[in-house]
Amino acid sequence: MQIQLVDLQKQYLFIKEEMDKAILKVLANTNFIQGSEVQAFENEFGEYLRTVKGKTAYFPVYCASCANGTDALYLALRALGIKKGDEVITVSHTFIATAEVVVQVGATPVFVDIDAGTMLMDMKQVQKAITPKTKAIIAVHLYGQPCDMDQLMQIAKRHRIFVIEDAAQAHGAVWKGQKVGTFGDLACFSFYPGKNLGAYGDAGAVVSKNEELIEFVRCFANHGRKKGEKYHHSICGINSRMDTLQAAVLRVKLKHLDKWNELRNAHATYYLKHLELPAITIQGGAYSVWHLFVIRSARRDELLKQLKEKGIGAGIHYPVPLHLQPAFAHLGYRQGDFPVTEKIAEEILSLPLYPEMAKSELDFIIQTMQEYVYERV
Ligand SMILES: *Cc1c(COP(=O)(O)O)cnc(C)c1O
C-alpha cells in the first residue's frame, strides 16, 4: 500500500465535474487577471469567515486576494507600517514565511518558545518578549489549531501592539464560536495546493474587519493603483494578484471546505483513539481543522524510516527551528534559547491526513505504528 501525506489527485477526482466546468469557463472568458471570479471569491471567503454554523457575525470581514501566503504576510506588515527598527514577536516553530517577511520589511523578528502541549505560541513568553520597540505579534494557528486568542488579544490591547494571524494552516478553525482570521488587525491565508483550502498553484489572501487596511493591501498588491485606475499610481506597490483561474478553483473548493474539515476531524479522532503515542493537546473552546496530524516520539527518525519503508508518506513539520536557521544567523540566537521548540523539532512526526482517506488506509498506518511500538519493547 502506498499512502501519501496528502493526496490531491483523490480530491480532484471527487470534484472533477464541477472543477472542469469552472476552469473551462475561465478559459472561455480569457479574463485571466482580475476576472469576475476574483472578486466573487473575495466576497465568498469574507462571508465564510464571519459565519459559524450558519450564524453570521455582526462584523464584516473584508478580503484582498494576493499571489501567495507569504505575500499575504508581507502585505499585512506593510499595511500596518512595520519597518526598520520595529520588533515583531513570533514563534520559531513555524514555516519560514512567518518570519521571513519581517526581515523583508526591514524589521526584526523576535522569537518566543511554544507550549509543549499545543505546540503553539506560549503566551507567557510573549508577555516577556515585549519591549518599547514591539509593534506587532504574528500568531501562527499551526497544524490547524487556533491559538488562545483571548489571552493574545488581551496582551496586545494592554500594550497597544498589532496582531497579525498567520492562518495559512487554519481555514475554518474556530476559537470560542468565532473563526480564526477575524480576531487580529489582519489575518493571512495561504492557498498553496496542500493547504486545507488549496488552489491549483500559488494563491493567498489578507483579511480584516478594517476596510481601510484591506483597501491599502488591494492597492499595494496591484502596483499602487486605486480602484478603477490603470496608469495612475498613488504609491509604489508590488504585483501580487491572485489569478482568475485560482479564484475559480477556490470558489469550487470553498463549498466543500466545512465537510472536508469535518472528515479531517473524524480521521484525527480515529488516530487518537488507536495510537498510544503523545499527540497534540487541543485546548478547550478550540475547533481544530487538523491541517496536519502530528505525534511525538523519542525515536522519531527510526519511526519515520520504518513508515517510509512501508510506503507511508510521513513528514516533519518542521525539522529545524527558525532561530537555528542560517537565514536568521544575523539575529544571534543559539542552541538552547528555546528548549521546548528544540525538543519538539526532534520528536515530531506528521502522519498522512486528508479528507478522502479510507478507513483501510488509516488502519494500515495505525497497525504499522503499533508494530513498531510493540517491537520496541
Ligand atoms: C504555507 C504557509 C505559509 C506561506 O504560504 P505560501 O502560500 O506557501 O507562500 C505561511 N505560513 C504558514 C504557517 C504556512 O504553513
Side-chain angles (χ1 to χ4, degrees):
M1 199 177 310
Q2 202 68 35
I3 308 170
Q4 294 169 8
L5 190 67
V6 191
D7 193 336
L8 294 175
Q9 201 163 25
K10 259 195 193 172
Q11 192 191 56
Y12 170 59
L13 293 176
F14 200 72
I15 53 176
K16 188 174 184 317
E17 212 173 304
E18 286 173 89
M19 190 57 88
D20 291 358
K21 211 168 111 194
I23 289 174
L24 287 173
K25 194 172 143 207
V26 176
L27 298 189
N29 287 338
T30 64
N31 217 340
F32 297 119
I33 301 292
Q34 295 193 315
S36 62
E37 308 283 347
V38 177
Q39 175 134 42
F41 172 72
E42 289 175 347
N43 294 341
E44 286 161 11
F45 194 59
E47 280 308 300
Y48 174 79
L49 291 177
R50 65 195 282 256
T51 311
V52 178
K53 289 190 183 145
K55 261 201 247 155
T56 308
Y58 65 89
F59 50 79
V61 177
Y62 302 98
C63 171
S65 57
C66 63
N68 55 66
T70 308
D71 279 4
L73 288 158
Y74 174 78
L75 290 161
L77 289 168
R78 292 298 301 242
L80 296 174
I82 311 288
K83 57 183 190 310
K84 195 166 165 22
D86 296 340
E87 291 177 356
V88 177
I89 296 172
T90 193
V91 281
S92 172
H93 183 58
T94 178
F95 180 59
I96 189 162
T98 314
E100 199 175 35
V101 291
V102 177
V103 174
Q104 294 308 342
V105 299
T108 307
V110 173
F111 294 121
V112 293
D113 214 342
I114 50 172
D115 175 84
T118 60
M119 303 189 197
L120 299 172
M121 180 175 259
D122 182 339
M123 297 305 165
K124 289 188 291 292
Q125 302 300 324
V126 172
Q127 182 72 51
K128 282 192 211 156
I130 294 170
T131 75
K133 289 182 180 171
T134 309
K135 287 284 152 57
I137 301 167
I138 306 181
V140 185
H141 303 300
L142 199 71
Y143 307 146
Q145 330 153 74
C147 293
D148 183 332
M149 293 314 287
D150 294 351
Q151 278 196 57
L152 182 63
M153 295 315 291
Q154 228 172 37
I155 295 170
K157 276 209 184 89
R158 196 159 55 232
H159 296 272
R160 295 169 191 264
I161 300 168
F162 295 121
V163 170
I164 297 172
E165 295 174 69
D166 181 342
Q169 302 190 359
H171 320 73
V174 179
W175 174 254
K176 298 194 177 164
Q178 189 177 328
K179 287 224 172 100
V180 307
T182 63
F183 291 90
D185 294 281
L186 292 151
C188 304
F189 286 88
S190 162
F191 305 114
Y192 179 82
K195 299 286 158 89
N196 286 35
L197 179 61
Y200 289 169
D202 276 315
V206 185
V207 305
S208 177
K209 292 181 280 194
N210 182 327
E211 191 174 15
E212 241 174 87
L213 289 176
I214 291 302
E215 279 310 319
F216 175 87
V217 169
R218 231 186 267 291
C219 173
F220 193 90
N222 187 23
H223 298 297
R225 289 174 182 131
K226 287 204 175 123
K227 211 178 194 156
E229 288 181 342
K230 193 164 169 80
Y231 296 117
H232 291 86
H233 309 269
S234 42
I235 48 171
C236 285
I238 59 171
N239 176 2
S240 179
R241 296 175 300 229
M242 180 190 285
D243 21 281
T244 312
L245 265 172
Q246 302 309 340
V249 167
L250 291 169
R251 287 187 74 197
V252 170
K253 287 205 188 186
L254 182 59
K255 293 195 204 95
H256 297 275
L257 182 58
D258 282 341
K259 180 186 64 201
W260 287 339
N261 283 340
E262 280 295 304
L263 284 166
R264 285 175 182 273
N265 264 276
H267 300 336
T269 306
Y270 193 75
Y271 266 139
L272 287 172
K273 199 174 141 201
H274 293 95
L275 290 175
E276 280 153 32
L277 286 165
I280 280 165
T281 337
I282 300 292
Q283 308 173 87
Y287 173 74
S288 172
V289 290
W290 292 98
H291 173 59
L292 290 167
F293 184 83
V294 177
I295 53 118
R296 288 177 68 170
S297 164
R299 294 165 74 182
R300 189 265 317 272
D301 293 338
E302 260 174 80
L303 183 52
L304 179 61
K305 197 164 152 262
Q306 171 119 347
L307 291 171
K308 289 238 156 101
E309 275 166 17
K310 295 261 177 152
I312 298 168
I316 303 171
H317 303 89
Y318 298 90
V320 184
L322 297 190
H323 71 281
L324 301 177
Q325 293 280 1
F328 296 116
H330 66 283
L331 300 175
Y333 289 103
R334 280 190 179 77
Q335 184 91 35
D337 282 344
F338 304 111
V340 182
T341 295
E342 289 167 24
K343 187 159 172 48
I344 274 174
E346 286 171 4
E347 296 187 351
I348 45 173
L349 183 69
S350 313
L351 298 180
L353 178 65
Y354 52 89
E356 300 79 12
M357 271 181 102
K359 187 168 171 294
S360 59
E361 292 173 317
L362 285 161
D363 285 336
F364 179 70
I365 295 164
I366 288 164
Q367 194 196 325
T368 309
M369 295 283 292
Q370 280 167 347
E371 272 166 25
Y372 172 80
V373 174
Y374 180 72
E375 270 170 26
R376 206 175 58 161
V377 289

PDB file of all heavy atoms in Angstrom, residues 68-70 73 94-95 97-98 140 166 168-169 190 192 195 203 318, ligand 1:
ATOM      1  N   ASN A  68       0.172  34.669  -2.992  1.00  0.00           N
ATOM      2  CA  ASN A  68       0.517  33.516  -2.142  1.00  0.00           C
ATOM      3  C   ASN A  68       0.456  33.932  -0.674  1.00  0.00           C
ATOM      4  O   ASN A  68       0.293  35.116  -0.368  1.00  0.00           O
ATOM      5  CB  ASN A  68       1.917  32.976  -2.491  1.00  0.00           C
ATOM      6  CG  ASN A  68       2.985  34.036  -2.420  1.00  0.00           C
ATOM      7  OD1 ASN A  68       3.284  34.547  -1.347  1.00  0.00           O
ATOM      8  ND2 ASN A  68       3.534  34.413  -3.559  1.00  0.00           N
ATOM      9  N   GLY A  69       0.626  32.979   0.213  1.00  0.00           N
ATOM     10  CA  GLY A  69       0.523  33.251   1.644  1.00  0.00           C
ATOM     11  C   GLY A  69       1.672  34.082   2.186  1.00  0.00           C
ATOM     12  O   GLY A  69       1.495  34.857   3.128  1.00  0.00           O
ATOM     13  N   THR A  70       2.840  33.915   1.598  1.00  0.00           N
ATOM     14  CA  THR A  70       3.999  34.696   2.039  1.00  0.00           C
ATOM     15  C   THR A  70       3.768  36.176   1.733  1.00  0.00           C
ATOM     16  O   THR A  70       3.985  37.044   2.580  1.00  0.00           O
ATOM     17  CB  THR A  70       5.277  34.183   1.332  1.00  0.00           C
ATOM     18  OG1 THR A  70       5.366  32.776   1.524  1.00  0.00           O
ATOM     19  CG2 THR A  70       6.513  34.864   1.870  1.00  0.00           C
ATOM     20  N   LEU A  73       1.401  37.816   4.177  1.00  0.00           N
ATOM     21  CA  LEU A  73       2.051  38.257   5.421  1.00  0.00           C
ATOM     22  C   LEU A  73       2.849  39.545   5.197  1.00  0.00           C
ATOM     23  O   LEU A  73       2.821  40.463   6.018  1.00  0.00           O
ATOM     24  CB  LEU A  73       2.975  37.162   5.947  1.00  0.00           C
ATOM     25  CG  LEU A  73       2.270  35.927   6.533  1.00  0.00           C
ATOM     26  CD1 LEU A  73       3.198  34.714   6.533  1.00  0.00           C
ATOM     27  CD2 LEU A  73       1.782  36.220   7.951  1.00  0.00           C
ATOM     28  N   THR A  94       7.588  27.243  13.228  1.00  0.00           N
ATOM     29  CA  THR A  94       6.631  27.539  12.152  1.00  0.00           C
ATOM     30  C   THR A  94       7.350  27.408  10.824  1.00  0.00           C
ATOM     31  O   THR A  94       8.560  27.156  10.783  1.00  0.00           O
ATOM     32  CB  THR A  94       6.031  28.953  12.296  1.00  0.00           C
ATOM     33  OG1 THR A  94       5.127  29.226  11.208  1.00  0.00           O
ATOM     34  CG2 THR A  94       7.105  30.029  12.294  1.00  0.00           C
ATOM     35  N   PHE A  95       6.614  27.593   9.729  1.00  0.00           N
ATOM     36  CA  PHE A  95       7.231  27.628   8.406  1.00  0.00           C
ATOM     37  C   PHE A  95       7.960  28.969   8.251  1.00  0.00           C
ATOM     38  O   PHE A  95       7.523  29.984   8.795  1.00  0.00           O
ATOM     39  CB  PHE A  95       6.135  27.474   7.335  1.00  0.00           C
ATOM     40  CG  PHE A  95       6.665  27.493   5.941  1.00  0.00           C
ATOM     41  CD1 PHE A  95       7.597  26.546   5.530  1.00  0.00           C
ATOM     42  CD2 PHE A  95       6.253  28.451   5.029  1.00  0.00           C
ATOM     43  CE1 PHE A  95       8.113  26.563   4.234  1.00  0.00           C
ATOM     44  CE2 PHE A  95       6.755  28.474   3.731  1.00  0.00           C
ATOM     45  CZ  PHE A  95       7.681  27.527   3.338  1.00  0.00           C
ATOM     46  N   ALA A  97       8.171  31.321   6.195  1.00  0.00           N
ATOM     47  CA  ALA A  97       7.493  32.513   5.667  1.00  0.00           C
ATOM     48  C   ALA A  97       7.056  33.465   6.782  1.00  0.00           C
ATOM     49  O   ALA A  97       7.135  34.689   6.631  1.00  0.00           O
ATOM     50  CB  ALA A  97       6.274  32.100   4.846  1.00  0.00           C
ATOM     51  N   THR A  98       6.612  32.918   7.907  1.00  0.00           N
ATOM     52  CA  THR A  98       6.114  33.733   9.019  1.00  0.00           C
ATOM     53  C   THR A  98       7.129  34.793   9.447  1.00  0.00           C
ATOM     54  O   THR A  98       6.751  35.926   9.748  1.00  0.00           O
ATOM     55  CB  THR A  98       5.774  32.833  10.234  1.00  0.00           C
ATOM     56  OG1 THR A  98       5.039  31.699   9.805  1.00  0.00           O
ATOM     57  CG2 THR A  98       4.992  33.587  11.278  1.00  0.00           C
ATOM     58  N   VAL A 140       0.659  32.167  14.981  1.00  0.00           N
ATOM     59  CA  VAL A 140       0.501  31.124  13.966  1.00  0.00           C
ATOM     60  C   VAL A 140      -0.460  30.050  14.470  1.00  0.00           C
ATOM     61  O   VAL A 140      -0.204  29.421  15.487  1.00  0.00           O
ATOM     62  CB  VAL A 140       1.862  30.480  13.608  1.00  0.00           C
ATOM     63  CG1 VAL A 140       1.696  29.486  12.465  1.00  0.00           C
ATOM     64  CG2 VAL A 140       2.894  31.537  13.273  1.00  0.00           C
ATOM     65  N   ASP A 166      -1.370  34.390  11.383  1.00  0.00           N
ATOM     66  CA  ASP A 166      -0.933  33.560  10.270  1.00  0.00           C
ATOM     67  C   ASP A 166      -1.855  32.339  10.268  1.00  0.00           C
ATOM     68  O   ASP A 166      -1.651  31.388  11.024  1.00  0.00           O
ATOM     69  CB  ASP A 166       0.541  33.159  10.428  1.00  0.00           C
ATOM     70  CG  ASP A 166       1.044  32.307   9.265  1.00  0.00           C
ATOM     71  OD1 ASP A 166       0.208  31.760   8.537  1.00  0.00           O
ATOM     72  OD2 ASP A 166       2.274  32.174   9.104  1.00  0.00           O
ATOM     73  N   ALA A 168      -2.467  30.402   7.671  1.00  0.00           N
ATOM     74  CA  ALA A 168      -2.163  29.631   6.455  1.00  0.00           C
ATOM     75  C   ALA A 168      -2.524  28.154   6.573  1.00  0.00           C
ATOM     76  O   ALA A 168      -2.723  27.481   5.575  1.00  0.00           O
ATOM     77  CB  ALA A 168      -0.683  29.771   6.113  1.00  0.00           C
ATOM     78  N   GLN A 169      -2.607  27.656   7.826  1.00  0.00           N
ATOM     79  CA  GLN A 169      -2.926  26.232   8.019  1.00  0.00           C
ATOM     80  C   GLN A 169      -4.283  26.051   8.699  1.00  0.00           C
ATOM     81  O   GLN A 169      -4.582  24.959   9.167  1.00  0.00           O
ATOM     82  CB  GLN A 169      -1.831  25.577   8.880  1.00  0.00           C
ATOM     83  CG  GLN A 169      -0.435  25.705   8.292  1.00  0.00           C
ATOM     84  CD  GLN A 169       0.607  24.875   9.006  1.00  0.00           C
ATOM     85  OE1 GLN A 169       0.323  24.184   9.982  1.00  0.00           O
ATOM     86  NE2 GLN A 169       1.837  24.941   8.509  1.00  0.00           N
ATOM     87  N   SER A 190      -2.929  31.185   3.180  1.00  0.00           N
ATOM     88  CA  SER A 190      -2.241  30.640   2.010  1.00  0.00           C
ATOM     89  C   SER A 190      -3.189  29.638   1.376  1.00  0.00           C
ATOM     90  O   SER A 190      -3.888  28.915   2.074  1.00  0.00           O
ATOM     91  CB  SER A 190      -0.966  29.921   2.436  1.00  0.00           C
ATOM     92  OG  SER A 190      -0.527  29.059   1.391  1.00  0.00           O
ATOM     93  N   TYR A 192      -1.876  27.505  -0.936  1.00  0.00           N
ATOM     94  CA  TYR A 192      -0.918  26.557  -1.502  1.00  0.00           C
ATOM     95  C   TYR A 192      -1.680  25.227  -1.682  1.00  0.00           C
ATOM     96  O   TYR A 192      -2.512  24.880  -0.831  1.00  0.00           O
ATOM     97  CB  TYR A 192       0.245  26.426  -0.516  1.00  0.00           C
ATOM     98  CG  TYR A 192       1.327  25.467  -0.920  1.00  0.00           C
ATOM     99  CD1 TYR A 192       2.327  25.865  -1.802  1.00  0.00           C
ATOM    100  CD2 TYR A 192       1.372  24.169  -0.413  1.00  0.00           C
ATOM    101  CE1 TYR A 192       3.335  24.984  -2.174  1.00  0.00           C
ATOM    102  CE2 TYR A 192       2.378  23.286  -0.776  1.00  0.00           C
ATOM    103  CZ  TYR A 192       3.347  23.702  -1.661  1.00  0.00           C
ATOM    104  OH  TYR A 192       4.337  22.831  -2.026  1.00  0.00           O
ATOM    105  N   LYS A 195      -2.763  22.948   1.289  1.00  0.00           N
ATOM    106  CA  LYS A 195      -3.439  23.510   2.477  1.00  0.00           C
ATOM    107  C   LYS A 195      -4.897  23.013   2.531  1.00  0.00           C
ATOM    108  O   LYS A 195      -5.419  22.496   1.541  1.00  0.00           O
ATOM    109  CB  LYS A 195      -3.396  25.049   2.431  1.00  0.00           C
ATOM    110  CG  LYS A 195      -1.959  25.611   2.435  1.00  0.00           C
ATOM    111  CD  LYS A 195      -1.281  25.505   3.788  1.00  0.00           C
ATOM    112  CE  LYS A 195       0.231  25.554   3.708  1.00  0.00           C
ATOM    113  NZ  LYS A 195       0.842  26.848   3.768  1.00  0.00           N
ATOM    114  N   ALA A 203      -1.514  30.877  -4.322  1.00  0.00           N
ATOM    115  CA  ALA A 203      -2.554  31.893  -4.091  1.00  0.00           C
ATOM    116  C   ALA A 203      -2.597  32.207  -2.601  1.00  0.00           C
ATOM    117  O   ALA A 203      -2.177  31.394  -1.770  1.00  0.00           O
ATOM    118  CB  ALA A 203      -3.919  31.400  -4.564  1.00  0.00           C
ATOM    119  N   TYR A 318       8.298  21.180  11.772  1.00  0.00           N
ATOM    120  CA  TYR A 318       9.401  21.391  10.853  1.00  0.00           C
ATOM    121  C   TYR A 318      10.674  20.918  11.536  1.00  0.00           C
ATOM    122  O   TYR A 318      10.771  21.060  12.756  1.00  0.00           O
ATOM    123  CB  TYR A 318       9.477  22.877  10.474  1.00  0.00           C
ATOM    124  CG  TYR A 318       8.188  23.284   9.747  1.00  0.00           C
ATOM    125  CD1 TYR A 318       7.101  23.771  10.466  1.00  0.00           C
ATOM    126  CD2 TYR A 318       8.060  23.111   8.373  1.00  0.00           C
ATOM    127  CE1 TYR A 318       5.906  24.093   9.815  1.00  0.00           C
ATOM    128  CE2 TYR A 318       6.869  23.453   7.724  1.00  0.00           C
ATOM    129  CZ  TYR A 318       5.807  23.929   8.446  1.00  0.00           C
ATOM    130  OH  TYR A 318       4.628  24.240   7.826  1.00  0.00           O
TER     131      TYR A 318
HETATM  132  C1  LIG B   1       2.089  27.723   3.847  1.00  0.00           C
HETATM  133  C2  LIG B   1       2.441  28.668   4.925  1.00  0.00           C
HETATM  134  C3  LIG B   1       2.825  29.990   4.662  1.00  0.00           C
HETATM  135  C4  LIG B   1       3.166  30.507   3.302  1.00  0.00           C
HETATM  136  O1  LIG B   1       2.254  30.334   2.310  1.00  0.00           O
HETATM  137  P1  LIG B   1       2.664  30.268   0.757  1.00  0.00           P
HETATM  138  O2  LIG B   1       1.362  30.353   0.069  1.00  0.00           O
HETATM  139  O3  LIG B   1       3.355  28.963   0.536  1.00  0.00           O
HETATM  140  O4  LIG B   1       3.551  31.424   0.466  1.00  0.00           O
HETATM  141  C5  LIG B   1       2.973  30.842   5.736  1.00  0.00           C
HETATM  142  N1  LIG B   1       2.819  30.424   6.996  1.00  0.00           N
HETATM  143  C6  LIG B   1       2.495  29.147   7.294  1.00  0.00           C
HETATM  144  C7  LIG B   1       2.324  28.759   8.722  1.00  0.00           C
HETATM  145  C8  LIG B   1       2.319  28.225   6.265  1.00  0.00           C
HETATM  146  O5  LIG B   1       2.020  26.956   6.571  1.00  0.00           O
END
